[in-house]
Coordinates of all heavy atoms in Angstrom, one line a residue:
R1 N -26.6 -6.4 -6.2 CA -27.9 -6.1 -5.5 C -28.0 -4.6 -5.2 O -29.0 -4.1 -4.6 CB -27.9 -6.9 -4.2 CG -28.0 -8.4 -4.5 CD -28.2 -9.2 -3.2 NE -27.2 -8.9 -2.2 CZ -27.4 -8.4 -1.0 NH1 -28.6 -8.0 -0.6 NH2 -26.4 -8.2 -0.1
H2 N -26.9 -3.8 -5.4 CA -26.9 -2.4 -5.1 C -27.2 -2.1 -3.6 O -28.1 -1.4 -3.2 CB -27.9 -1.6 -6.0 CG -27.7 -1.8 -7.4 ND1 -26.6 -1.3 -8.1 CD2 -28.4 -2.6 -8.3 CE1 -26.7 -1.7 -9.4 NE2 -27.8 -2.5 -9.5
S3 N -26.5 -2.9 -2.7 CA -26.8 -2.8 -1.3 C -25.6 -3.0 -0.5 O -24.6 -3.7 -0.8 CB -27.8 -4.0 -1.0 OG -28.1 -4.0 0.4
F4 N -25.6 -2.4 0.7 CA -24.6 -2.5 1.7 C -25.0 -3.7 2.7 O -24.2 -4.1 3.5 CB -24.4 -1.2 2.5 CG -23.7 -0.2 1.8 CD1 -24.4 0.9 1.2 CD2 -22.3 -0.2 1.7 CE1 -23.8 1.9 0.5 CE2 -21.7 0.8 1.0 CZ -22.4 1.9 0.4
A5 N -26.2 -4.1 2.6 CA -26.8 -5.1 3.6 C -26.4 -6.5 3.1 O -26.5 -6.9 2.0 CB -28.3 -5.0 3.7
F6 N -26.0 -7.3 4.1 CA -25.6 -8.7 3.9 C -26.3 -9.6 4.9 O -26.4 -9.2 6.1 CB -24.1 -8.9 4.0 CG -23.4 -8.4 2.8 CD1 -23.0 -7.0 2.8 CD2 -23.0 -9.2 1.8 CE1 -22.3 -6.5 1.7 CE2 -22.3 -8.6 0.7 CZ -22.0 -7.3 0.7
T7 N -26.8 -10.8 4.5 CA -27.4 -11.7 5.5 C -26.5 -12.8 5.9 O -26.7 -13.5 6.9 CB -28.7 -12.3 4.8 OG1 -28.3 -13.0 3.6 CG2 -29.7 -11.3 4.6
R8 N -25.3 -13.0 5.2 CA -24.4 -14.0 5.5 C -22.9 -13.5 5.3 O -22.8 -12.4 4.6 CB -24.6 -15.3 4.8 CG -24.7 -15.2 3.3 CD -25.1 -16.5 2.7 NE -25.2 -16.2 1.3 CZ -25.1 -17.1 0.4 NH1 -24.9 -18.4 0.7 NH2 -25.2 -16.8 -0.9
S9 N -22.0 -14.2 5.7 CA -20.6 -13.8 5.6 C -20.2 -13.8 4.1 O -20.7 -14.6 3.3 CB -19.7 -14.7 6.3 OG -20.0 -14.7 7.7
A10 N -19.1 -13.1 3.8 CA -18.5 -13.1 2.5 C -17.0 -13.4 2.7 O -16.4 -13.1 3.7 CB -18.6 -11.7 1.8
R11 N -16.5 -14.1 1.7 CA -15.1 -14.5 1.8 C -14.3 -13.7 0.7 O -14.7 -13.6 -0.4 CB -14.9 -16.0 1.5 CG -13.5 -16.5 1.6 CD -13.4 -17.9 1.6 NE -13.7 -18.4 3.0 CZ -13.2 -19.4 3.6 NH1 -12.4 -20.2 2.9 NH2 -13.5 -19.7 4.8
A12 N -13.1 -13.2 1.1 CA -12.3 -12.5 0.2 C -10.8 -12.5 0.6 O -10.5 -12.8 1.8 CB -12.7 -11.0 0.1
D13 N -9.9 -12.2 -0.3 CA -8.5 -12.0 0.1 C -8.4 -10.5 0.3 O -8.9 -9.7 -0.4 CB -7.6 -12.4 -1.1 CG -7.6 -13.9 -1.4 OD1 -8.1 -14.6 -0.6 OD2 -7.2 -14.2 -2.5
V14 N -7.8 -10.2 1.5 CA -7.7 -8.8 1.9 C -6.3 -8.3 1.8 O -5.3 -8.9 2.3 CB -8.1 -8.7 3.4 CG1 -8.0 -7.3 3.9 CG2 -9.6 -9.2 3.6
V15 N -6.1 -7.2 1.1 CA -4.8 -6.5 0.9 C -4.8 -5.4 1.9 O -5.6 -4.5 1.9 CB -4.6 -6.0 -0.5 CG1 -3.3 -5.3 -0.6 CG2 -4.7 -7.1 -1.5
R16 N -3.8 -5.5 2.9 CA -3.7 -4.5 4.0 C -2.6 -3.5 3.9 O -1.6 -3.8 3.3 CB -3.6 -5.3 5.3 CG -4.7 -6.2 5.6 CD -4.7 -6.7 7.0 NE -5.7 -7.7 7.3 CZ -7.0 -7.4 7.6 NH1 -7.4 -6.2 7.6 NH2 -7.9 -8.4 7.8
N17 N -2.8 -2.3 4.4 CA -1.8 -1.3 4.5 C -1.1 -1.5 5.8 O -1.6 -1.0 6.9 CB -2.4 0.1 4.4 CG -1.4 1.2 4.3 OD1 -0.2 0.9 4.1 ND2 -1.9 2.4 4.3
L18 N 0.0 -2.1 5.8 CA 0.7 -2.4 7.1 C 1.7 -1.3 7.4 O 2.1 -0.5 6.5 CB 1.6 -3.7 6.9 CG 0.8 -5.0 6.6 CD1 1.8 -6.1 6.4 CD2 -0.2 -5.3 7.7
P19 N 2.0 -1.1 8.7 CA 3.0 -0.1 9.1 C 4.3 -0.5 8.5 O 4.7 -1.6 8.3 CB 3.1 -0.3 10.6 CG 1.8 -1.0 11.0 CD 1.4 -1.8 9.9
F20 N 5.1 0.6 8.1 CA 6.4 0.4 7.4 C 7.3 -0.6 8.1 O 7.9 -1.4 7.5 CB 7.0 1.8 7.3 CG 8.3 1.7 6.4 CD1 8.2 1.7 5.1 CD2 9.5 1.7 7.0 CE1 9.4 1.7 4.3 CE2 10.7 1.7 6.3 CZ 10.6 1.7 4.9
Q21 N 7.3 -0.5 9.5 CA 8.3 -1.3 10.2 C 7.9 -2.8 10.2 O 8.7 -3.7 10.5 CB 8.5 -0.9 11.6 CG 7.2 -0.9 12.5 CD 6.4 0.4 12.4 OE1 6.6 1.2 11.5 NE2 5.4 0.5 13.3
D22 N 6.6 -3.1 9.8 CA 6.2 -4.5 9.7 C 6.4 -5.2 8.4 O 6.1 -6.3 8.2 CB 4.7 -4.6 10.1 CG 4.4 -4.3 11.5 OD1 5.4 -4.2 12.3 OD2 3.2 -4.0 11.9
L23 N 6.9 -4.4 7.4 CA 7.2 -4.9 6.1 C 8.5 -5.7 6.0 O 9.4 -5.5 6.8 CB 7.2 -3.8 5.1 CG 5.9 -2.9 5.0 CD1 6.1 -1.7 4.1 CD2 4.7 -3.7 4.7
T24 N 8.6 -6.5 5.0 CA 9.9 -7.2 4.8 C 11.0 -6.2 4.4 O 10.7 -5.1 3.9 CB 9.8 -8.2 3.6 OG1 9.5 -7.5 2.4 CG2 8.7 -9.2 3.9
H25 N 12.2 -6.6 4.6 CA 13.3 -5.7 4.3 C 13.4 -5.3 2.8 O 13.6 -4.1 2.5 CB 14.7 -6.3 4.7 CG 15.8 -5.5 4.4 ND1 16.1 -4.3 5.1 CD2 16.8 -5.6 3.5 CE1 17.2 -3.8 4.6 NE2 17.7 -4.6 3.6
A26 N 13.1 -6.3 2.0 CA 13.1 -6.0 0.5 C 12.0 -5.0 0.2 O 12.3 -4.1 -0.7 CB 12.9 -7.3 -0.3
L27 N 10.9 -5.1 0.8 CA 9.8 -4.2 0.5 C 10.1 -2.8 1.0 O 9.9 -1.8 0.4 CB 8.5 -4.7 1.1 CG 7.2 -4.3 0.5 CD1 7.1 -4.3 -1.0 CD2 6.1 -5.1 1.0
Q28 N 10.7 -2.7 2.2 CA 11.1 -1.4 2.8 C 12.1 -0.7 1.9 O 12.0 0.5 1.7 CB 11.7 -1.6 4.2 CG 10.7 -2.0 5.3 CD 11.4 -2.3 6.6 OE1 12.6 -2.4 6.7 NE2 10.6 -2.4 7.7
T29 N 13.1 -1.5 1.4 CA 14.1 -0.9 0.6 C 13.6 -0.4 -0.7 O 13.9 0.7 -1.1 CB 15.2 -2.0 0.3 OG1 15.7 -2.5 1.5 CG2 16.4 -1.4 -0.5
Y30 N 12.7 -1.1 -1.3 CA 12.1 -0.6 -2.6 C 11.2 0.6 -2.3 O 11.3 1.6 -3.1 CB 11.3 -1.7 -3.3 CG 10.5 -1.2 -4.5 CD1 11.2 -0.8 -5.6 CD2 9.2 -0.9 -4.4 CE1 10.6 -0.2 -6.7 CE2 8.5 -0.4 -5.5 CZ 9.2 0.0 -6.7 OH 8.6 0.5 -7.7
I31 N 10.4 0.6 -1.3 CA 9.5 1.7 -1.0 C 10.4 3.0 -0.7 O 10.1 4.1 -1.2 CB 8.6 1.4 0.2 CG1 7.5 0.4 -0.3 CG2 7.9 2.7 0.7 CD1 6.7 -0.2 0.9
T32 N 11.4 2.8 0.1 CA 12.3 3.9 0.4 C 13.0 4.5 -0.9 O 13.0 5.7 -1.1 CB 13.4 3.5 1.4 OG1 12.7 3.0 2.5 CG2 14.2 4.7 1.8
A33 N 13.4 3.6 -1.8 CA 14.1 4.1 -3.0 C 13.1 4.8 -3.9 O 13.4 5.8 -4.5 CB 14.7 2.9 -3.7
K34 N 11.9 4.2 -4.0 CA 10.9 4.9 -4.9 C 10.5 6.2 -4.3 O 10.3 7.2 -5.0 CB 9.7 4.0 -5.0 CG 8.6 4.5 -5.9 CD 7.5 3.5 -6.2 CE 6.3 4.1 -7.0 NZ 6.5 5.2 -7.8
A35 N 10.3 6.3 -3.0 CA 9.9 7.5 -2.3 C 11.0 8.6 -2.5 O 10.7 9.7 -2.7 CB 9.5 7.3 -0.9
A36 N 12.2 8.1 -2.3 CA 13.4 9.1 -2.4 C 13.4 9.7 -3.9 O 13.6 10.9 -4.0 CB 14.7 8.4 -2.1
R37 N 13.2 8.8 -4.9 CA 13.2 9.3 -6.2 C 12.1 10.3 -6.5 O 12.3 11.4 -7.0 CB 13.1 8.1 -7.2 CG 13.2 8.6 -8.6 CD 13.2 7.4 -9.6 NE 13.3 7.9 -11.0 CZ 12.9 7.3 -12.0 NH1 12.3 6.2 -11.9 NH2 13.1 7.9 -13.2
D38 N 10.9 9.9 -6.1 CA 9.7 10.8 -6.2 C 9.9 12.1 -5.5 O 9.6 13.2 -6.0 CB 8.4 10.2 -5.7 CG 8.0 9.0 -6.6 OD1 8.6 8.7 -7.6 OD2 7.0 8.3 -6.2
F39 N 10.4 12.0 -4.2 CA 10.7 13.2 -3.4 C 11.7 14.1 -4.0 O 11.5 15.3 -4.1 CB 11.2 12.7 -2.0 CG 11.3 13.8 -1.0 CD1 10.2 14.5 -0.5 CD2 12.6 14.0 -0.4 CE1 10.4 15.4 0.5 CE2 12.7 15.0 0.6 CZ 11.6 15.7 1.0
Q40 N 12.8 13.6 -4.5 CA 13.8 14.4 -5.2 C 13.2 15.1 -6.4 O 13.5 16.2 -6.6 CB 15.0 13.5 -5.5 CG 16.2 14.2 -6.1 CD 16.1 14.6 -7.6 OE1 16.4 15.7 -8.0 NE2 15.6 13.7 -8.4
M41 N 12.5 14.3 -7.2 CA 11.9 14.9 -8.4 C 10.9 16.0 -8.1 O 10.9 17.0 -8.9 CB 11.3 13.9 -9.3 CG 12.3 13.0 -10.0 SD 13.5 13.9 -11.0 CE 12.5 14.5 -12.3
N42 N 10.1 15.9 -7.1 CA 9.1 16.9 -6.7 C 9.8 18.2 -6.2 O 9.3 19.3 -6.4 CB 8.2 16.4 -5.7 CG 7.2 15.4 -6.3 OD1 7.0 15.3 -7.5 ND2 6.6 14.6 -5.4
L43 N 10.9 18.0 -5.4 CA 11.5 19.1 -4.8 C 12.6 19.8 -5.6 O 12.6 21.0 -5.7 CB 12.1 18.8 -3.4 CG 11.2 19.1 -2.2 CD1 9.9 18.5 -2.2 CD2 11.9 18.9 -0.9
M44 N 13.4 19.0 -6.2 CA 14.5 19.6 -7.0 C 14.5 19.3 -8.5 O 14.9 20.2 -9.2 CB 15.9 19.0 -6.4 CG 16.1 19.4 -5.0 SD 17.7 18.8 -4.4 CE 18.8 19.8 -5.2
G45 N 14.0 18.2 -8.9 CA 13.9 17.9 -10.3 C 15.2 17.8 -11.0 O 15.4 18.0 -12.2
S46 N 16.3 17.3 -10.3 CA 17.6 17.2 -10.9 C 17.7 15.9 -11.7 O 17.5 14.8 -11.1 CB 18.7 17.2 -9.7 OG 19.9 16.8 -10.2
A47 N 18.1 16.0 -12.9 CA 18.2 14.8 -13.8 C 19.4 14.0 -13.3 O 19.4 12.8 -13.4 CB 18.4 15.3 -15.2

């Protein structure tokens, strides 16, 4: 409809950006490992 206006509710699945401390341990561990790798490559680039 090319519109922001709605006359009734819409239903959807919502993907949220939760605070780090509210995530599961497995998710925290993966995010930390991925961030550490990216961080190291951006700053030092050591193979």
Side-chain angles (χ1 to χ4, degrees):
R1 295 184 305 115
H2 308 287
S3 174
F4 287 100
F6 288 85
T7 57
R8 55 187 178 154
S9 298
R11 181 171 280 214
D13 294 344
V14 178
V15 179
R16 298 192 186 279
N17 189 5
L18 299 177
F20 186 81
Q21 63 272 10
D22 293 345
L23 304 176
T24 63
H25 178 69
L27 205 45
Q28 288 176 346
T29 303
Y30 174 70
I31 289 169
T32 304
K34 181 171 176 21
R37 183 178 184 206
D38 292 355
F39 186 64
Q40 185 281 134
M41 286 305 291
N42 288 342
L43 260 59
M44 296 181 71
S46 167

